[in-house]
Amino acid sequence: MWKVFFALVLLLVSSIVTGCVGSTGGLQSYVNAKGGYQFLYPNGWTRVEVKKSAGVDVVFHDIIETTENVSVIINPVTDNKTLADLGTPTEVGYRLLKNHSLNPALDKEVDLIRAESRQQNGQEYYLLEYQVKFPDDRERHNLASVTARNGKLYSFNLSTSQKRWAKVHELFETIVDSFSVT
């Protein structure tokens, strides 16, 4: 009787553990206590040392698909404005696109294709999705999660080629949703 009970408990525990691993399997956690944020990123990605300019705080990229990358950009927000003070998700999405996002020095066509708001632990985030087309017909797909806290605007950016988007979009949605500011 006890053997059957312990076997069932063991089966239940292994099912729970497997279920927990399934949603974030293949992901690692990055925590920046000083910067006040954290996120998940794929195994096989490595941190890239970058010159701290234009608010870039950290960059990771895939070691095989080196153009796939994730970055966190932190810039000051005047008067401790909230995200809602900065505008709707669509307004902020277009403002980021116009001002500094996605390297304005390059000739390209950028479309904002999704702009949504979500709440996580009482903090508001805007989820932005862009499609980018270059003159040489290269296409990219970018996701961003943006929030404002403690006088700073945090922009978490994830980018891949358009041809890989169909394969990685679910994973990348999970990664963008994992971004949180404390």
Side-chain angles (χ1 to χ4, degrees):
M1 177 71 176
W2 285 107
K3 287 181 183 181
V4 172
F5 174 74
F6 285 122
L8 287 174
V9 169
L10 182 59
L11 181 62
L12 179 63
V13 169
S14 67
S15 296
I16 291 170
V17 170
T18 302
C20 292
V21 171
S23 64
T24 59
L27 297 175
Q28 298 181 59
S29 178
Y30 176 78
V31 178
N32 184 320
K34 183 179 176 188
Y37 63 87
Q38 62 187 7
F39 59 88
L40 299 174
Y41 67 96
N43 289 328
W45 285 35
T46 186
R47 187 171 175 178
V48 179
E49 291 303 318
V50 292
K51 185 177 177 182
K52 300 282 183 174
S53 62
V56 177
D57 198 59
V58 67
V59 176
F60 285 82
H61 76 89
D62 189 321
I63 59 175
I64 296 171
E65 296 284 340
T66 58
T67 63
E68 282 185 358
N69 60 74
V70 63
S71 64
V72 176
I73 300 171
I74 305 172
N75 286 302
V77 176
T78 57
D79 303 324
N80 266 344
K81 289 185 176 180
T82 67
L83 198 54
D85 293 335
L86 298 175
T88 66
T90 301
E91 291 168 341
V92 169
Y94 280 119
R95 191 172 303 122
L96 289 175
L97 185 145
K98 183 179 175 185
N99 288 343
H100 63 39
S101 182
L102 308 171
N103 196 348
L106 296 176
D107 186 22
K108 64 196 166 308
E109 181 182 318
V110 182
D111 292 318
L112 177 64
I113 57 176
R114 180 172 52 146
E116 301 172 350
S117 178
R118 71 176 175 88
Q119 293 284 324
Q120 180 178 326
N121 298 325
Q123 180 74 27
E124 186 171 26
Y125 295 83
Y126 289 170
L127 176 64
L128 309 170
E129 185 173 354
Y130 300 95
Q131 201 163 6
V132 183
K133 185 171 183 177
F134 294 91
D136 62 2
D137 289 331
R138 285 181 301 128
E139 293 184 41
R140 297 204 52 81
H141 209 97
N142 299 335
L143 291 176
S145 180
V146 180
T147 193
R149 186 172 181 109
N150 299 327
K152 296 176 185 174
L153 181 69
Y154 293 81
S155 178
F156 178 80
N157 308 287
L158 185 57
S159 180
T160 188
S161 67
Q162 186 63 36
K163 67 181 179 182
R164 284 199 29 92
W165 176 245
K167 182 178 180 179
V168 299
H169 81 275
E170 287 181 17
L171 175 67
F172 282 11
E173 294 278 352
T174 299
I175 292 169
V176 169
D177 287 345
S178 76
F179 178 67
S180 66
V181 175
T182 56

